[in-house]
Amino acid sequence: MNRNLPILRRVLASVLAASLSLTGCGPDSSTPETDASQTAEADITPALTQTDTNSDMNADINPNTIQEPSFSSDEFDQLAAELFRQLTAADYMTWQLLPADQRPDGTAAPEPAFPDLTEYSRQQMELMKSVKFQLGTIEPETLSQPQKDLYQCLSFYADTRLSQEGMASFRILEAFSPTEGIPALLPGKLAGLPFRTRQDVDDYFTLLSDLPRFFKDLALLGQDAARNGLAFSSQWQKDASDACAPYYLNAEYNSLVSSFSGRLDGIPGLTDEERAGYEARNLEAVSNWVIPSYQKLAQDIRQLPVQSQEQDGLCGRENGREYFRCLTAEKTGTSYQDIRLLKAAIEEQLKQNTESIGRLLKENPEAEENTSLSAGLSQDPDQLLSFLQTETLKYFPAVSSPAPDVLIIPDEQADLWTLPGWSCGSGASTGTGVIRIDAATAGQPDRLYQALAETGWPGSGYREAFLKEQGLSPLMNVISFPGWDRGWDTYAASVSFSFENGNTPEAKRLARLTFSSSLAIHALVDIQVNYYGWNQEDVTDFLSQHYSIGEEGIGAALYQKAIYSPADSLAAYTGYLEIRQMKAEAQSALGNAFDEMEFHRFLLETGPAPYALIRSRLKDWILGQKVSKLGK
């Protein structure tokens, strides 16, 4: 038994329990996990360009198959602009979320309607094929450095999407996920649509009127997938149906109604009479379209055929392991070339954390009793965020944007938002100038501190402000690198534990190590369940045997999160791990010349991007830092 087990168990069990209460690993990795036919590891990380040293990672990018260059650098800019136009013009909600000054010139706004899911998926796949083909006609050496970076990002983005061609049934499973599916997340997206003009409000009502058709199409896709062999378990069916329940409420108590009035504040010159009229129309729209649509969808989900009594991870499905590899590449952007290597890196980090916690508490036993992240600090959310903003500027490059306001979401609206939770990287909850925090988190000082650090400063709020001030390409605001976003936010929250928050250095380090260990366990379970076939008992045994964590429900909740949100925990932890590794490499190479603020500037100016690209730039940055120090 690990001699540090009792120590780690005490400081880790409560963190795991807290994280799972807000967000909804098994035997040793030497345990046989798969049959002989599944032991070969396939690549998960697409190559960035045909000139990369890791070009063997993706057979699609091969110098022998690339056409003669026919695009100039100017034409590459035109390609990027056309891709941006097509991505934004294809979906009303994507268009509406863009600031008016970033919308492509000369492009008409799409009709306020939900997309035809089948046609939309086909069009997006065809678009990615077109992008890939056109990238193949470009010689990267003819491009400027910013263009080369964008070229590599686009290549990676297209590759990860194209790798999932022919796996539509898994997308259907994802669409119905009780935690990450369309029914669960759509209300938050609807409530996040800004109202800038009166036409925006009229379009919003038109969009709501299309919800019955949209959900009917979604239900038909689920029925078709079930007939074609997509297995739904009874527990999955129950949970997916229950995810619709918050929108059964009487319209007066529905969160889409209670959040509506505040959004009207964005329309200049709105009269009281107009406001009252819009509020009445919204109440009618929710009553006539939203509530019946969710009721009907819940009923349709309950009528899907149940083909399995036991839930299992993706690897229990045909081609599930391959899909998990594709999903891991898409969600994490990792530089690790296969699941085995990524898993080994997570296990090694968890081992180091365990040993470090053991040594730290052996030498400083008092650290365990003094781990409050906000001892002596104000518990007012706005004042606490102001403290985090001030401390952020000691370690991160300056931005001129003010910290956003903090909005406490009451219990009756909590279902509307994906809100920050402890150590699970639950996603950015920032709106336009607002950070939304649920009432339960606001009432617990440590959870409030970490939530504000992750979604405010120095996390996603700061990240978005910096990139906006740097003039991030509009295209990069549309294509997604969740591993970079989530990795930064998680890393930034970890750094915030070292701020002048009243803790001793030992207690701060213990908080960081515990935070990292909790994330690592989530990520390991994600891999083991979806790639190696662990069941719920395996997860529970792992927690009990390795960390003596036997609290009822923790293993079950970890397992369920992996089932319903595959690769989600990996997205939060893998980016954090990659950044920590790059930071350690830079510190080792530069010694006393290492400048943490300049390292953070390098990360922000290179991202958002896949980590292979960022790592490929790191050596040049280190060399530049050495030259800069020598010149002073």
Side-chain angles (χ1 to χ4, degrees), residues 75-89 104-105 107 127 130-131 134 475:
E75 289 170 322
F76 175 76
D77 288 338
Q78 295 173 13
L79 166 63
E82 176 59 20
L83 175 60
F84 176 65
R85 187 194 68 79
Q86 292 194 46
L87 288 173
T88 54
D105 295 334
T107 303
L127 179 59
S130 174
V131 169
Q134 293 180 73
L475 178 57

Side-chain angles (χ1 to χ4, degrees), residues 40 42-44 320-330 339 531:
D43 297 335
I44 61 172
R321 283 164 59 87
E322 180 183 354
Y323 181 69
F324 186 71
R325 287 194 294 265
C326 297
L327 204 58
T328 297
E330 176 189 341
I339 297 289
Y531 199 69

Side-chain angles (χ1 to χ4, degrees), residues 81 146 251 304 494 566 607 610:
L304 290 173
S494 174

Side-chain angles (χ1 to χ4, degrees), residues 371-481:
T371 57
S372 172
L373 296 174
S374 56
L377 300 178
S378 170
Q379 299 311 307
D380 175 79
D382 288 307
Q383 292 183 25
L384 185 55
L385 183 60
S386 178
F387 161 80
L388 289 169
Q389 183 184 28
T390 300
E391 288 292 302
T392 292
L393 299 183
K394 297 178 182 179
Y395 305 92
F396 297 83
V399 296
S400 59
S401 301
D405 296 328
V406 181
L407 178 63
I408 306 301
I409 302 297
D411 292 340
E412 60 269 21
Q413 293 185 30
D415 57 276
L416 191 62
W417 308 102
T418 301
L419 296 168
W422 179 271
S423 75
C424 283
S426 58
S429 63
T430 52
T432 305
V434 173
I435 296 176
R436 298 178 177 88
I437 301 293
D438 66 273
T441 296
Q444 300 186 43
D446 283 354
R447 283 160 57 176
L448 177 62
Y449 183 102
Q450 191 253 324
L452 291 175
E454 186 175 346
T455 61
W457 259 250
S460 60
Y462 166 82
R463 166 174 55 80
E464 291 167 4
F466 183 94
L467 295 177
K468 181 179 180 180
E469 292 181 15
Q470 292 297 305
L472 181 68
S473 163
L475 178 57
M476 296 302 292
N477 280 323
V478 177
I479 65 175
S480 174
F481 293 98

